[in-house]
Amino acid sequence: MTALARFSSFVGNSFALWVLSFAALGFLFPDTFRQLTPWIVTLLGIIMFGMGLTISGRDFAEVLRRPYQVGVGVAAQFVIMPLLAVVLTLLIPMSPEVAAGVILVGCCPGGTSSNVMTFMAKGDTALSVACTSVTTLMAPVVTPFLVLMLASEYLPVDAWAMFQSILKVVLLPLALGFAAQRLLPALVRAAVPMLPLVSVTGIVLIVAAVVGASKGAIIQSGAMIFAVVALHNLLGYLIGYLAARVAGVDLAGRKAIAIEVGMQNSGLAAALATAYFSPVTAVPAAIFSVWHNISGAVLASWLARRT
């Protein structure tokens, strides 16, 4: 078990490399990995269950202890990234499917990778975890609403069905994981070291499935989508940091909010795009999964030197 835990930790620490490798495999062997497309929602549910196993009452106590800073982070998350997505779709010519996918990524909550990157950046990790938890809990209502308001001009949006899906694949697994902590604490403590392996496996399979199902679209417009995704992510970091600074948040908190804003739950975006739009709409989410882990690690290394 110790060896498996060490391997799990290694996989978690080399997350970006695994995502990049499986994206390449999905591109090279599309027929193999596109068969995983029907399992994307299930894989996301497993990932969210793992997140539920690690959420504690302390994370929600942090919200009560520092409501202002958490409020700044949550507001920045659900304002900056959706608006940036809209601006990019207006400035850069792209198909309706890709535009809807970019907006969908922007409307999702923060990703759990942001917590790791904040820790690496010597930022306020407790604030990052609190923001991720709150935005994830808000996602069933906020994400469908934002997608309906901002993306319906590109593709039809079934906000009610999307709300129900997020409840099933995000909140229900989170709740089950949180309940397992209370009912089976010893078993959960033994399982927690394995969670990086489970989470990384789920994400890389989602990315490979989306890439495999969308190889044609990637060949046709992959460079443009990558440019949009990279701009979206990098501007999210920058504007998130500046917004936190204007709001009077300290340096450690600015690091946390910048990373929280820039790193999205792209797995959720890929699952929703696949379920309600098309594989092409999921391509920005797949590319975001690869890119934001690379950019996040680079940014965290640079921010760690700012004290």
Side-chain angles (χ1 to χ4, degrees):
M1 184 65 73
T2 304
L4 185 58
R6 285 199 297 267
F7 178 69
S8 178
S9 177
F10 164 73
V11 170
N13 292 333
S14 54
F15 185 25
L17 176 62
W18 291 103
V19 175
L20 186 61
S21 299
F22 272 79
L25 288 173
F27 188 83
L28 294 173
F29 306 101
D31 293 336
T32 298
F33 286 98
R34 69 161 57 99
Q35 298 178 47
L36 296 173
T37 302
W39 294 94
I40 287 177
V41 171
T42 302
L43 290 168
L44 179 63
I46 293 171
I47 294 167
M48 299 314 298
F49 176 74
M51 181 179 173
L53 292 177
T54 62
I55 291 177
S56 70
R58 291 189 300 274
D59 301 329
F60 299 105
E62 198 69 22
V63 178
L64 300 176
R65 191 174 74 85
R66 295 189 294 173
Y68 176 71
Q69 287 181 306
V70 175
V72 170
V74 171
Q77 177 73 55
F78 281 132
V79 173
I80 293 171
M81 291 303 274
L83 292 182
L84 275 176
V86 171
V87 171
L88 289 171
T89 59
L90 293 175
L91 294 178
I92 301 175
M94 63 188 77
S95 70
E97 290 85 357
V98 173
V102 171
I103 291 173
L104 179 56
V105 170
C107 295
C108 281
T112 54
S113 298
S114 63
N115 309 149
V116 178
M117 299 303 176
T118 299
F119 176 78
M120 291 171 55
K122 298 181 181 178
D124 193 333
T125 306
L127 175 61
S128 176
V129 173
C131 290
T132 300
S133 301
V134 172
T135 56
T136 300
L137 292 176
M138 292 173 64
V141 174
V142 177
T143 296
F145 172 77
L146 289 174
V147 174
L148 178 64
M149 292 297 101
L150 302 177
S152 56
E153 67 177 281
Y154 296 108
L155 292 176
V157 177
D158 189 339
W160 174 245
M162 197 175 288
F163 164 77
Q164 292 176 301
S165 285
I166 299 176
L167 282 180
K168 292 175 184 176
V169 302
V170 175
L171 286 198
L172 179 58
L174 277 175
L176 290 175
F178 191 73
Q181 288 188 59
R182 305 301 181 194
L183 300 175
L184 304 165
L187 184 60
V188 170
R189 282 196 297 272
V192 163
M194 308 302 121
L195 292 181
L197 178 59
V198 174
S199 298
V200 171
T201 300
I203 286 293
V204 300
L205 290 178
I206 289 173
V207 170
V210 171
V211 170
S214 312
K215 181 176 179 178
I218 293 173
I219 292 173
Q220 182 177 358
S221 54
M224 179 274 294
I225 299 174
F226 178 82
V228 172
V229 165
L231 279 172
H232 195 191
N233 169 242
L234 296 175
L235 289 172
Y237 292 143
L238 176 62
I239 299 175
Y241 185 92
L242 294 176
R245 183 173 183 174
V246 169
V249 178
D250 62 15
L251 177 59
R254 295 200 296 270
K255 293 179 182 182
I257 290 174
I259 294 171
E260 189 69 24
V261 170
M263 300 189 74
Q264 301 293 86
N265 188 336
S266 49
L268 175 60
L272 293 175
T274 303
Y276 295 105
F277 300 114
S278 70
V280 175
T281 307
V283 172
I287 294 177
F288 205 100
S289 292
V290 178
W291 169 252
H292 80 166
N293 284 290
I294 297 171
S295 67
V298 173
L299 177 65
S301 297
W302 182 75
L303 286 176
R305 297 192 292 269
R306 292 179 57 84
T307 59

